[in-house]
Amino acid sequence: MGNADTKLSFRKAVIQLTTKTQPVEASDESFWGQFWSDTVTCVQDIFTLIPAAEIRALREESPSNLATLCYKAVEKIVSGAESSCPSSKEQQTVLNCVRLLTRILPYIFEDPDWRGFFWSTLPGQVEESAEPEGSPPLAQSLVTALCDLLFCPDFSVQSGRKSGPDNPEEIQSIDSCEYIWEAGVGFAHSPAISLQHDAHRAELLKLLLTCFSETMYLPPMAEAHVVPNQWINFFTSTENRHALPLFTSLLNIVCAYDPVGYGVPYNHLMFADSREPLVEIALQVLCVTLEHEPIRDTTSVDGTASGTAMDHDQGSESGGPDNLFVNYLSRVHREEDFQFILKGITRLLNNPLVQTYLPGSCKKIQFYQELLVLFWKTCDINKKFMFYVLKSSDVLDILVPILFHLNDARADQSRVGLMHIGVFILLLLSGERNFGVRLNKPYTVRVPMDIPVFTGTHADFLIIVFHKIITTGHQRLQPLFDCLLTIIVNVSPYLKTLSMVSSTKLLHLLEAFSTPWFLYACPTNHHLVFFLLEVFNNIIQYQFDGNSNLVYTIIRKRNVFHQLANLPTDHSAIAKAVTKRGKKFSTNLPSEHHVETPSMEGAPPAMEAEPGTLKTSLAALPGIDKMTERRAPHSPTQVEQPKLKDLAAQSQSGAEDSPSSDNPDHIDSHSSEAEGATKDEQTVQDAKTLHSPPSSPTPSTTSVTSNASGRAPLQRTASTGSSASWVATPEWVQSWKQKLPLQTIMRLLQVLVPQVEKICIDKGLTDESEILKFLQHGTLVGLLPVPHPILIRKYQPNSGTTMWFRTYMWGVIYLRNVDPPVWYDTDVKLFEIQRV
């Protein structure tokens, strides 16, 4: 009953404040004190007892009272930090002020006229201050006090000495580097876990995250974000004396977290885990503070060389130094630190995949999206870390959970952002030779997934999941097809052996994408065919010996290549094909000749989102040609010299190869050698089969204007990805059909098909295993066109992806913070909140 009374008195104070028409004096301590007295003891009460409508009414009708409330709350937090909160009463006061500001701040950011309030010097402050010029803005006082409180002995960290109300430690005199929250990067001591300290840290971080969330109230346009977020700027600057211990505390608390602990079944149901809420909020703060524009030196990591982006270079010029968090992360270089970060991230990413005999006995974390963003940012900011990840098979511990989440989320429209971040990470990794080489490791992990049972490598696993996404994912994933196939192209020169299942999947994709109705439905769909042909060419030229399954499948499906070479280009054939284009893409996928292999046992199917599920919109993304940089080995200019006309004449395809000199991608090229490819082959000048799609669809949620070459990019909202006004013409079809890189495949068919047919007739073979045995021992040395240089498309940071990540990360934070619902029902501008 007493509890109800105290809540009632708090509610009365709120009503009093919102109904007062006259300003209340800042000196009226008895009135203002009601808002942080110990009558309310949890954040949920404050959110319930101060409704959104009343905060808005206060903002509009009594602005001076709202200003005084904020000022007084900050004043209390500052004085609490200065006195080190020696008593429990002072601690409660500080916590209630923190909760109050967490409730109010989003409504201040909502109104453009109020956004500058915390950065202005209040009249009262100037009068009271001895040095008017030296009084910092309210925002700086608040952030400084919150950072002090995060290292306040007996409040958020364990005290180093015996202290009590009579003997408090001076917050200004302590070295916060001695109070880092967890062992890990730059700190060896692991303090005992305190439920109370964890809870206090989480509340303080929640308010800091709320301060940083001003970004949510700006539209997703580059112009609106030209001026960096002042709150994050100050927090990560040299003016924050706790920047280094804060960065290491946040990083270590995330990477040291083990949700399973000693593995006692159902322990998470019996004991409260004080660490998880703290880890979650620490991870979110890390993700939004590690933001930097991609103007720094983008030194690429060559898996075969030791030279990576040197940490001291990054601090000197652009990007790194202003944001100390980015600077510190770029300077991490010890192997044991890399191991700690990678092990922590992989442990948490693999947590949802943990299998036990007792259902629900193992705790499952929910913050895997934030983890993927942290991993992305760490690879992007610290190239040495990415080199370390790719150095061993540990990268596969990142790959498997990403593929698990991609497969699981493919039918759920509310998780489009998750699909994108997973694909982006794989695109980033696929730009390095080591990633392709690592994929040859046999796949023995058996995570229940609704994909066909197969025996093979991690490369097979990747191809099978990508095939599943393309053929059974929802419509909004179509713009990702380019990225998915680019990843397969990047790794293809290193794939030693593909299984029959994944070989069939690749051919099935080519069969689907090369149907005339699909090719003519959109100005960019033919790019997908170019990507797949490049995959086959890479494997045939560089990994022929181990890939008898793929060669056999190509022979078996040779009709697909002949149809592609003889694609009709006349008006009537195009018109006839286009009439089919209204049908949904997936229903038009040609069925495979053999029976679909059964899915793994006990695998739950990918579920659609529950109706009414909230999701946030995403910013427009640049096309794959803007996101990647293409380079060929040794001499980029040489790819334009065609010298293979004599071989082209032998081809059955009738498809004239011509140089891709009209390629509008003004991008350099670079590449690396395939295992087994000799240097002589690599340095060959006449790299004619390097034809690649001229440009690529733009994964975007908003419509994007046509690019320079006049091709309208795919729009995520379009059912077939085509604009109503665009119509395929014979000239357009001819322009790319003559560049189809079919030469190598046609030569292979020309040589092997007669041999296979002869063996089948001579020996009366009906069993494919005998044919595979023949192909395993066959060779095409000297019979194929001169090998083309390997083309790798590396991810390049750009402002478009920076905006996408900003929108995505804040959308995740918005949806994940529901208790209390900090931003729910406020007028956010960075994204739209939609219901599935």
Side-chain angles (χ1 to χ4, degrees), residues 720-760:
T720 58
S722 62
S723 54
S725 57
W726 183 85
V727 178
T729 63
E731 296 73 32
W732 172 78
V733 176
Q734 198 59 44
S735 71
W736 55 261
K737 182 189 165 185
Q738 63 186 4
K739 294 180 198 156
L740 285 169
L742 286 163
Q743 194 181 8
T744 300
I745 296 164
M746 288 303 184
R747 184 73 179 123
L748 174 143
L749 292 173
Q750 188 185 21
V751 173
L752 290 181
V753 170
Q755 293 181 16
V756 171
E757 284 175 345
K758 185 173 187 298
I759 289 171
C760 289

Side-chain angles (χ1 to χ4, degrees), residues 765-813:
L765 293 183
T766 53
D767 182 12
E768 65 182 32
S769 62
E770 290 292 323
I771 302 167
L772 285 169
K773 205 173 286 181
F774 163 73
L775 291 173
Q776 275 166 7
H777 298 105
T779 178
L780 290 177
V781 173
L783 297 172
L784 290 177
V786 179
H788 55 278
I790 296 160
L791 187 80
I792 302 293
R793 294 168 179 82
K794 273 184 183 257
Y795 167 79
Q796 290 299 316
N798 59 76
S799 55
T801 49
T802 302
M803 178 59 78
W804 187 91
F805 274 100
R806 185 181 293 140
T807 309
Y808 171 60
M809 192 60 228
W810 280 112
V812 169
I813 289 169

Side-chain angles (χ1 to χ4, degrees), residues 135-154:
S135 58
L138 209 52
Q140 289 189 13
S141 304
L142 175 60
V143 172
T144 303
L146 291 173
C147 293
D148 281 344
L149 287 166
L150 285 167
F151 295 100
C152 180
D154 294 321

Side-chain angles (χ1 to χ4, degrees), residues 332-345:
V332 175
H333 63 278
R334 296 190 314 165
E335 290 246 334
E336 53 267 43
D337 291 339
F338 287 157
Q339 186 187 8
F340 169 73
I341 295 170
L342 181 59
K343 198 175 173 188
I345 292 175

Side-chain angles (χ1 to χ4, degrees), residues 464-483:
I464 290 165
V465 170
F466 283 11
H467 174 270
K468 200 85 176 173
I469 293 167
I470 290 169
T471 56
T472 65
H474 59 81
Q475 285 292 307
R476 289 186 66 203
L477 297 181
Q478 267 202 34
L480 275 181
F481 292 0
D482 261 44
C483 283

Side-chain angles (χ1 to χ4, degrees), residues 44-164:
Q44 285 78 9
D45 286 349
I46 286 195
F47 272 71
T48 308
L49 297 170
I50 311 180
E54 292 182 18
I55 302 172
R56 288 192 178 110
L58 185 63
R59 186 185 70 198
E60 303 306 325
E61 291 156 30
S62 313
S64 62
N65 285 345
L66 178 59
T68 308
L69 181 66
C70 293
Y71 170 61
K72 296 294 285 182
V74 173
E75 191 181 55
K76 281 289 171 192
I77 292 171
V78 171
S79 69
E82 285 170 354
S83 69
S84 304
C85 292
S87 67
S88 57
K89 187 170 190 254
E90 282 178 86
Q91 292 187 6
Q92 193 58 55
T93 300
V94 163
L95 287 172
N96 279 347
C97 289
V98 165
R99 292 160 185 163
L100 189 69
L101 287 173
T102 305
R103 180 61 173 146
I104 291 170
L105 269 167
Y107 298 92
I108 284 187
F109 295 149
E110 252 187 4
D111 188 332
D113 296 335
W114 272 85
R115 266 177 225 146
F117 167 71
F118 273 87
W119 293 95
S120 57
T121 307
L122 300 183
Q125 249 183 314
V126 177
E127 288 160 27
E128 292 161 28
S129 172
E131 306 166 52
E133 295 84 10
S135 58
L138 209 52
Q140 289 189 13
S141 304
L142 175 60
V143 172
T144 303
L146 291 173
C147 293
D148 281 344
L149 287 166
L150 285 167
F151 295 100
C152 180
D154 294 321
F155 180 65
S156 57
V157 292
Q158 299 223 304
S159 176
R161 69 168 88 145
K162 199 170 181 181
S163 65

Side-chain angles (χ1 to χ4, degrees), residues 680-741:
D680 293 338
E681 290 171 329
Q682 285 294 319
T683 49
V684 168
Q685 311 300 321
D686 27 30
K688 252 248 359 291
T689 43
L690 256 188
H691 302 310
S692 62
S695 67
S696 299
T698 303
S700 68
T701 45
T702 52
S703 75
V704 186
T705 54
S706 296
N707 56 20
S709 55
R711 296 176 174 83
L714 275 179
Q715 292 170 18
R716 191 181 283 154
T717 48
S719 59
T720 58
S722 62
S723 54
S725 57
W726 183 85
V727 178
T729 63
E731 296 73 32
W732 172 78
V733 176
Q734 198 59 44
S735 71
W736 55 261
K737 182 189 165 185
Q738 63 186 4
K739 294 180 198 156
L740 285 169

